[in-house]
Amino acid sequence: MPDLLTMLRAVRGLATGLRRVTCWSAIAGVLLLPLVARADKPQWAYRALPFAQALNLEAVHEATHSAPERLIATIRRWGVDVQLVRSEAPARPVNPLLAGLPPATPELVCRADFRDSYEGMVIFFSSTLDSMDCDKILIRDTALSYTLIHEFVHSLLRPLSTGEPDHLLEARFRAAFRRLVIYQRRLYDDPYKLLDPLWRRDILAAQADVAKDLFGRIRLGQSQEAIVEKVLSLYIDERNPFFDADRRAQGLQYGEAAINNAIDMFNELNDSVAFVEDAVRNLRQSLRDGNIEPGEGVALTDDDEASVARSARDVKAQLAVVRAELQLLKQFYRH
């Protein structure tokens, strides 16, 4: 599956680091308020978000209920700067609410890899992209105000526990996932490669590396896209000046696609583990039965089979945690 991880980059940049914010609301569990009330109130009956995240709902409510002409000032009051990226040949009218924004420097646009197809991107102040004292949103001059709010909500999402910067996790995961896909495709074509200890070492290492960061990668990527679009659909209703029926429908479709993309990544690893474990078991039995002749590059003992099984158990334990969070994310999105 080439370019599995690039689908989400069209809307946002890398989520990196933590920023101090003043008011937190933890959200999880079961929706208790009717839809209209949710759009009217900053507090919403969730205690925790899927994939161990928290969201400042007071800031979400204030931005989504701001007067349009005060939206940018509201976002800045919550510690997030906004800079404009001008279109060379705009296909849509320029958003007048964005016209007075200071332009982002060409250097920042280039270093952030803000592409022509992008509408918006968050750059966190802890990012290595630029020396900044606050988070920044880069926004296309033709973007809807709804899209600006989407990026602002992204900036408010934070993991419940601190760790290494997200851009490091993403880069490491991208490399590990590509390696897994390449190795596994070759093994699907020729499972007899697993008779070679080097092939077993490499595929098991690739599986372990992907499993290590799968939870974190889905958190900072697909889960956030789905959560942001779901939250906006609840806080921006038909009475809201930022409401746009087409944008809302597209956003909800996009969030669903993000969840499906996360499931695809999960299945890629899950299927690889099952295939390798079964193939090694069958190959070991064929060696015992004399159906495979020993030779160069053929070294598969009972201990080797047990080692593969142990590695599979470790990865399956990590997959079980991710599977549970994916189920929570799907439930969150359906309600």
Side-chain angles (χ1 to χ4, degrees):
M1 281 184 276
D3 299 324
L4 250 175
L5 300 180
T6 61
M7 190 258 308
L8 300 175
R9 299 192 66 198
V11 174
R12 67 182 294 262
L14 307 179
T16 58
L18 294 170
R19 177 174 64 84
R20 290 187 299 272
V21 293
T22 58
C23 180
W24 288 90
S25 298
I27 52 183
V30 180
L31 283 169
L32 299 177
L33 300 175
L35 181 60
V36 173
R38 259 179 258 131
D40 291 339
K41 297 181 180 180
Q43 297 304 320
W44 175 29
Y46 270 91
R47 294 183 194 140
L49 281 164
F51 285 91
Q53 299 173 89
L55 181 62
N56 183 343
L57 289 176
E58 182 179 342
V60 172
H61 183 268
E62 187 174 336
T64 55
H65 290 71
S66 170
E69 65 273 13
R70 298 296 303 162
L71 175 60
I72 293 170
T74 298
I75 291 173
R76 285 175 172 159
R77 189 165 60 253
W78 284 101
V80 181
D81 191 21
V82 186
Q83 296 187 359
L84 193 69
V85 178
R86 300 194 185 279
S87 305
E88 299 248 344
R92 298 195 311 268
V94 171
N95 184 342
L97 293 178
L98 306 178
L101 284 171
T105 65
E107 293 77 16
L108 179 58
V109 173
C110 180
R111 292 169 67 187
D113 194 23
F114 191 94
R115 303 180 185 184
D116 291 341
S117 60
Y118 288 8
E119 293 289 294
M121 172 186 288
V122 181
I123 305 175
F124 289 81
F125 82 90
S126 57
S127 169
T128 58
L129 291 175
D130 200 24
S131 297
M132 301 183 296
D133 57 2
C134 68
D135 298 343
K136 291 184 188 293
I137 295 174
L138 301 184
I139 192 73
R140 180 77 58 190
D141 55 0
T142 56
L144 296 174
S145 300
Y146 195 109
T147 301
L148 175 58
I149 298 173
H150 172 107
E151 297 302 332
F152 177 59
V153 176
H154 261 303
S155 76
L156 300 172
L157 274 167
R158 292 294 184 268
L160 293 177
S161 59
T162 60
E164 65 185 333
D166 288 341
H167 69 282
L168 297 178
L169 184 152
E170 184 179 41
R172 186 174 64 228
F173 181 86
R174 183 186 296 113
F177 191 80
R178 287 177 178 169
R179 188 167 66 251
L180 173 67
V181 170
I182 291 170
Y183 290 168
Q184 190 57 53
R185 283 178 176 171
R186 293 178 181 174
L187 291 175
Y188 284 143
D189 291 338
D190 182 9
Y192 288 94
K193 290 182 184 295
L194 289 168
L195 291 166
D196 187 334
L198 296 180
W199 268 97
R200 292 196 303 275
R201 179 202 65 188
D202 290 346
I203 191 62
L204 294 181
Q207 290 173 350
D209 289 345
V210 171
K212 174 185 175 184
D213 289 330
L214 183 61
F215 183 101
R217 180 57 185 84
I218 294 175
R219 174 191 60 78
L220 69 93
Q222 295 92 331
S223 79
Q224 290 195 0
E225 296 298 338
I227 289 167
V228 169
E229 288 298 341
K230 181 64 177 181
V231 167
L232 291 183
S233 76
L234 298 173
Y235 274 75
I236 299 178
D237 62 15
E238 290 80 356
R239 303 165 299 167
N240 192 290
F242 301 115
F243 180 76
D244 183 291
D246 289 341
R247 174 61 180 81
R248 176 174 175 171
Q250 291 169 3
L252 289 173
Q253 291 173 0
Y254 178 71
E256 185 174 353
I259 294 173
N260 290 335
N261 181 256
I263 293 171
D264 287 342
M265 287 170 44
F266 174 94
N267 287 338
E268 187 80 31
L269 177 57
N270 189 61
D271 293 348
S272 173
V273 171
F275 177 88
V276 169
E277 189 176 20
D278 288 346
V280 166
R281 185 184 304 112
N282 292 332
L283 289 169
R284 178 59 190 147
Q285 188 60 50
S286 293
L287 281 167
R288 290 193 200 96
D289 295 342
N291 297 325
I292 296 177
E293 293 292 331
E296 186 178 352
V298 176
L300 180 56
T301 66
D302 290 342
D303 287 343
D304 294 331
E305 181 185 353
S307 177
V308 170
R310 284 193 300 273
S311 179
R313 283 195 298 273
D314 291 343
V315 173
K316 287 175 183 176
Q318 293 169 297
L319 282 171
V321 175
V322 176
R323 181 187 289 108
E325 291 300 316
L326 285 172
Q327 290 295 333
L328 288 175
L329 184 61
K330 289 193 291 185
Q331 292 169 14
F332 171 90
Y333 208 70
R334 284 197 298 264
H335 290 88

mmCIF file of all heavy atoms in Angstrom, residues 36-61:
data_model
loop_
_atom_site.group_PDB
_atom_site.id
_atom_site.type_symbol
_atom_site.label_atom_id
_atom_site.label_comp_id
_atom_site.label_asym_id
_atom_site.label_seq_id
_atom_site.Cartn_x
_atom_site.Cartn_y
_atom_site.Cartn_z
ATOM 1 N N VAL A 36 -28.534 19.808 19.897
ATOM 2 C CA VAL A 36 -28.653 21.261 19.945
ATOM 3 C C VAL A 36 -27.979 21.824 21.185
ATOM 4 O O VAL A 36 -27.280 22.823 21.133
ATOM 5 C CB VAL A 36 -30.145 21.666 19.901
ATOM 6 C CG1 VAL A 36 -30.292 23.163 20.135
ATOM 7 C CG2 VAL A 36 -30.754 21.286 18.553
ATOM 8 N N ALA A 37 -28.145 21.133 22.336
ATOM 9 C CA ALA A 37 -27.516 21.617 23.559
ATOM 10 C C ALA A 37 -26.007 21.586 23.443
ATOM 11 O O ALA A 37 -25.317 22.450 23.969
ATOM 12 C CB ALA A 37 -27.973 20.768 24.745
ATOM 13 N N ARG A 38 -25.456 20.606 22.765
ATOM 14 C CA ARG A 38 -24.014 20.526 22.609
ATOM 15 C C ARG A 38 -23.480 21.728 21.860
ATOM 16 O O ARG A 38 -22.398 22.224 22.139
ATOM 17 C CB ARG A 38 -23.636 19.239 21.871
ATOM 18 C CG ARG A 38 -23.141 18.166 22.793
ATOM 19 C CD ARG A 38 -22.818 16.921 22.020
ATOM 20 N NE ARG A 38 -23.896 15.982 22.204
ATOM 21 C CZ ARG A 38 -24.496 15.348 21.235
ATOM 22 N NH1 ARG A 38 -24.138 15.549 19.998
ATOM 23 N NH2 ARG A 38 -25.447 14.499 21.501
ATOM 24 N N ALA A 39 -24.222 22.193 20.884
ATOM 25 C CA ALA A 39 -23.770 23.367 20.145
ATOM 26 C C ALA A 39 -23.832 24.625 20.997
ATOM 27 O O ALA A 39 -23.155 25.604 20.714
ATOM 28 C CB ALA A 39 -24.628 23.546 18.897
ATOM 29 N N ASP A 40 -24.646 24.613 22.053
ATOM 30 C CA ASP A 40 -24.845 25.797 22.868
ATOM 31 C C ASP A 40 -23.951 25.862 24.091
ATOM 32 O O ASP A 40 -23.811 26.911 24.693
ATOM 33 C CB ASP A 40 -26.302 25.865 23.342
ATOM 34 C CG ASP A 40 -27.255 26.154 22.189
ATOM 35 O OD1 ASP A 40 -26.790 26.674 21.169
ATOM 36 O OD2 ASP A 40 -28.453 25.835 22.318
ATOM 37 N N LYS A 41 -23.368 24.736 24.500
ATOM 38 C CA LYS A 41 -22.652 24.688 25.768
ATOM 39 C C LYS A 41 -21.201 24.263 25.577
ATOM 40 O O LYS A 41 -20.913 23.355 24.813
ATOM 41 C CB LYS A 41 -23.350 23.712 26.722
ATOM 42 C CG LYS A 41 -24.771 24.141 27.087
ATOM 43 C CD LYS A 41 -25.399 23.154 28.058
ATOM 44 C CE LYS A 41 -26.819 23.591 28.417
ATOM 45 N NZ LYS A 41 -27.459 22.659 29.359
ATOM 46 N N PRO A 42 -20.283 24.908 26.318
ATOM 47 C CA PRO A 42 -18.874 24.517 26.193
ATOM 48 C C PRO A 42 -18.578 23.163 26.805
ATOM 49 O O PRO A 42 -17.686 22.461 26.359
ATOM 50 C CB PRO A 42 -18.122 25.631 26.929
ATOM 51 C CG PRO A 42 -19.117 26.203 27.873
ATOM 52 C CD PRO A 42 -20.458 26.072 27.198
ATOM 53 N N GLN A 43 -19.304 22.763 27.850
ATOM 54 C CA GLN A 43 -19.030 21.483 28.481
ATOM 55 C C GLN A 43 -19.869 20.401 27.826
ATOM 56 O O GLN A 43 -21.057 20.576 27.578
ATOM 57 C CB GLN A 43 -19.339 21.564 29.976
ATOM 58 C CG GLN A 43 -18.442 22.565 30.709
ATOM 59 C CD GLN A 43 -16.972 22.280 30.513
ATOM 60 O OE1 GLN A 43 -16.557 21.135 30.509
ATOM 61 N NE2 GLN A 43 -16.176 23.324 30.344
ATOM 62 N N TRP A 44 -19.256 19.266 27.608
ATOM 63 C CA TRP A 44 -19.855 18.212 26.810
ATOM 64 C C TRP A 44 -19.555 16.899 27.516
ATOM 65 O O TRP A 44 -18.443 16.689 27.990
ATOM 66 C CB TRP A 44 -19.220 18.302 25.427
ATOM 67 C CG TRP A 44 -19.560 17.268 24.451
ATOM 68 C CD1 TRP A 44 -20.695 16.544 24.333
ATOM 69 C CD2 TRP A 44 -18.730 16.857 23.378
ATOM 70 N NE1 TRP A 44 -20.631 15.715 23.265
ATOM 71 C CE2 TRP A 44 -19.429 15.884 22.656
ATOM 72 C CE3 TRP A 44 -17.453 17.217 22.946
ATOM 73 C CZ2 TRP A 44 -18.912 15.259 21.541
ATOM 74 C CZ3 TRP A 44 -16.951 16.608 21.834
ATOM 75 C CH2 TRP A 44 -17.670 15.638 21.139
ATOM 76 N N ALA A 45 -20.534 16.007 27.647
ATOM 77 C CA ALA A 45 -20.434 14.865 28.550
ATOM 78 C C ALA A 45 -19.538 13.744 28.026
ATOM 79 O O ALA A 45 -19.975 12.639 27.780
ATOM 80 C CB ALA A 45 -21.813 14.323 28.873
ATOM 81 N N TYR A 46 -18.268 14.044 27.848
ATOM 82 C CA TYR A 46 -17.247 13.039 27.569
ATOM 83 C C TYR A 46 -16.151 13.188 28.608
ATOM 84 O O TYR A 46 -15.798 14.304 28.982
ATOM 85 C CB TYR A 46 -16.640 13.237 26.179
ATOM 86 C CG TYR A 46 -17.352 12.498 25.092
ATOM 87 C CD1 TYR A 46 -18.376 13.099 24.385
ATOM 88 C CD2 TYR A 46 -16.983 11.202 24.762
ATOM 89 C CE1 TYR A 46 -19.029 12.425 23.370
ATOM 90 C CE2 TYR A 46 -17.630 10.522 23.747
ATOM 91 C CZ TYR A 46 -18.653 11.136 23.057
ATOM 92 O OH TYR A 46 -19.296 10.461 22.054
ATOM 93 N N ARG A 47 -15.582 12.096 29.072
ATOM 94 C CA ARG A 47 -14.501 12.174 30.062
ATOM 95 C C ARG A 47 -13.122 11.986 29.447
ATOM 96 O O ARG A 47 -12.154 12.401 30.045
ATOM 97 C CB ARG A 47 -14.724 11.117 31.146
ATOM 98 C CG ARG A 47 -15.959 11.373 31.965
ATOM 99 C CD ARG A 47 -16.096 10.357 33.074
ATOM 100 N NE ARG A 47 -17.432 10.426 33.630
ATOM 101 C CZ ARG A 47 -18.136 9.389 33.988
ATOM 102 N NH1 ARG A 47 -17.636 8.177 33.862
ATOM 103 N NH2 ARG A 47 -19.338 9.533 34.478
ATOM 104 N N ALA A 48 -13.017 11.307 28.342
ATOM 105 C CA ALA A 48 -11.705 11.114 27.705
ATOM 106 C C ALA A 48 -11.916 10.821 26.246
ATOM 107 O O ALA A 48 -12.910 10.232 25.877
ATOM 108 C CB ALA A 48 -10.955 9.960 28.364
ATOM 109 N N LEU A 49 -10.982 11.268 25.440
ATOM 110 C CA LEU A 49 -11.068 11.043 23.996
ATOM 111 C C LEU A 49 -10.341 9.760 23.620
ATOM 112 O O LEU A 49 -9.397 9.353 24.302
ATOM 113 C CB LEU A 49 -10.444 12.214 23.248
ATOM 114 C CG LEU A 49 -11.310 13.462 23.134
ATOM 115 C CD1 LEU A 49 -10.454 14.640 22.724
ATOM 116 C CD2 LEU A 49 -12.416 13.243 22.124
ATOM 117 N N PRO A 50 -10.749 9.127 22.530
ATOM 118 C CA PRO A 50 -10.003 7.952 22.064
ATOM 119 C C PRO A 50 -8.533 8.284 21.824
ATOM 120 O O PRO A 50 -8.169 9.410 21.517
ATOM 121 C CB PRO A 50 -10.724 7.596 20.753
ATOM 122 C CG PRO A 50 -12.102 8.154 20.903
ATOM 123 C CD PRO A 50 -11.938 9.406 21.705
ATOM 124 N N PHE A 51 -7.706 7.283 21.981
ATOM 125 C CA PHE A 51 -6.263 7.385 21.824
ATOM 126 C C PHE A 51 -5.656 8.377 22.823
ATOM 127 O O PHE A 51 -4.714 9.100 22.506
ATOM 128 C CB PHE A 51 -5.886 7.717 20.377
ATOM 129 C CG PHE A 51 -6.039 6.532 19.467
ATOM 130 C CD1 PHE A 51 -7.246 6.320 18.805
ATOM 131 C CD2 PHE A 51 -5.025 5.610 19.301
ATOM 132 C CE1 PHE A 51 -7.419 5.204 17.976
ATOM 133 C CE2 PHE A 51 -5.184 4.501 18.484
ATOM 134 C CZ PHE A 51 -6.386 4.293 17.823
ATOM 135 N N ALA A 52 -6.221 8.387 24.050
ATOM 136 C CA ALA A 52 -5.609 9.059 25.205
ATOM 137 C C ALA A 52 -5.277 10.517 24.926
ATOM 138 O O ALA A 52 -4.124 10.946 25.026
ATOM 139 C CB ALA A 52 -4.351 8.297 25.648
ATOM 140 N N GLN A 53 -6.314 11.283 24.598
ATOM 141 C CA GLN A 53 -6.140 12.697 24.303
ATOM 142 C C GLN A 53 -7.111 13.536 25.104
ATOM 143 O O GLN A 53 -8.124 13.050 25.594
ATOM 144 C CB GLN A 53 -6.364 12.945 22.811
ATOM 145 C CG GLN A 53 -5.385 12.203 21.924
ATOM 146 C CD GLN A 53 -5.744 12.337 20.472
ATOM 147 O OE1 GLN A 53 -5.309 13.263 19.802
ATOM 148 N NE2 GLN A 53 -6.548 11.416 19.970
ATOM 149 N N ALA A 54 -6.798 14.817 25.235
ATOM 150 C CA ALA A 54 -7.670 15.772 25.897
ATOM 151 C C ALA A 54 -7.859 16.978 24.998
ATOM 152 O O ALA A 54 -7.016 17.278 24.147
ATOM 153 C CB ALA A 54 -7.081 16.204 27.234
ATOM 154 N N LEU A 55 -8.970 17.663 25.203
ATOM 155 C CA LEU A 55 -9.303 18.803 24.361
ATOM 156 C C LEU A 55 -9.851 19.925 25.221
ATOM 157 O O LEU A 55 -10.693 19.694 26.100
ATOM 158 C CB LEU A 55 -10.340 18.384 23.313
ATOM 159 C CG LEU A 55 -10.813 19.438 22.314
ATOM 160 C CD1 LEU A 55 -9.640 19.937 21.467
ATOM 161 C CD2 LEU A 55 -11.905 18.868 21.411
ATOM 162 N N ASN A 56 -9.391 21.135 24.967
ATOM 163 C CA ASN A 56 -9.856 22.317 25.672
ATOM 164 C C ASN A 56 -11.199 22.747 25.064
ATOM 165 O O ASN A 56 -11.244 23.472 24.082
ATOM 166 C CB ASN A 56 -8.826 23.432 25.546
ATOM 167 C CG ASN A 56 -9.202 24.672 26.313
ATOM 168 O OD1 ASN A 56 -10.352 24.864 26.702
ATOM 169 N ND2 ASN A 56 -8.228 25.536 26.518
ATOM 170 N N LEU A 57 -12.294 22.284 25.659
ATOM 171 C CA LEU A 57 -13.610 22.531 25.079
ATOM 172 C C LEU A 57 -14.082 23.962 25.280
ATOM 173 O O LEU A 57 -14.913 24.447 24.520
ATOM 174 C CB LEU A 57 -14.619 21.549 25.669
ATOM 175 C CG LEU A 57 -14.443 20.105 25.185
ATOM 176 C CD1 LEU A 57 -15.410 19.184 25.900
ATOM 177 C CD2 LEU A 57 -14.640 20.014 23.687
ATOM 178 N N GLU A 58 -13.584 24.630 26.288
ATOM 179 C CA GLU A 58 -13.947 26.042 26.441
ATOM 180 C C GLU A 58 -13.445 26.841 25.240
ATOM 181 O O GLU A 58 -14.163 27.695 24.702
ATOM 182 C CB GLU A 58 -13.367 26.607 27.736
ATOM 183 C CG GLU A 58 -13.756 28.057 27.981
ATOM 184 C CD GLU A 58 -13.197 28.617 29.278
ATOM 185 O OE1 GLU A 58 -12.807 27.815 30.141
ATOM 186 O OE2 GLU A 58 -13.161 29.853 29.412
ATOM 187 N N ALA A 59 -12.204 26.546 24.809
ATOM 188 C CA ALA A 59 -11.662 27.243 23.641
ATOM 189 C C ALA A 59 -12.418 26.862 22.372
ATOM 190 O O ALA A 59 -12.659 27.708 21.505
ATOM 191 C CB ALA A 59 -10.171 26.912 23.487
ATOM 192 N N VAL A 60 -12.792 25.585 22.251
ATOM 193 C CA VAL A 60 -13.569 25.152 21.083
ATOM 194 C C VAL A 60 -14.889 25.905 21.031
ATOM 195 O O VAL A 60 -15.298 26.431 19.986
ATOM 196 C CB VAL A 60 -13.821 23.631 21.127
ATOM 197 C CG1 VAL A 60 -14.788 23.229 20.015
ATOM 198 C CG2 VAL A 60 -12.513 22.863 20.993
ATOM 199 N N HIS A 61 -15.573 25.966 22.156
ATOM 200 C CA HIS A 61 -16.867 26.642 22.189
ATOM 201 C C HIS A 61 -16.725 28.123 21.861
ATOM 202 O O HIS A 61 -17.517 28.698 21.099
ATOM 203 C CB HIS A 61 -17.513 26.471 23.555
ATOM 204 C CG HIS A 61 -18.874 27.083 23.656
ATOM 205 N ND1 HIS A 61 -19.059 28.382 24.094
ATOM 206 C CD2 HIS A 61 -20.107 26.607 23.359
ATOM 207 C CE1 HIS A 61 -20.344 28.666 24.077
ATOM 208 N NE2 HIS A 61 -21.000 27.609 23.629
#
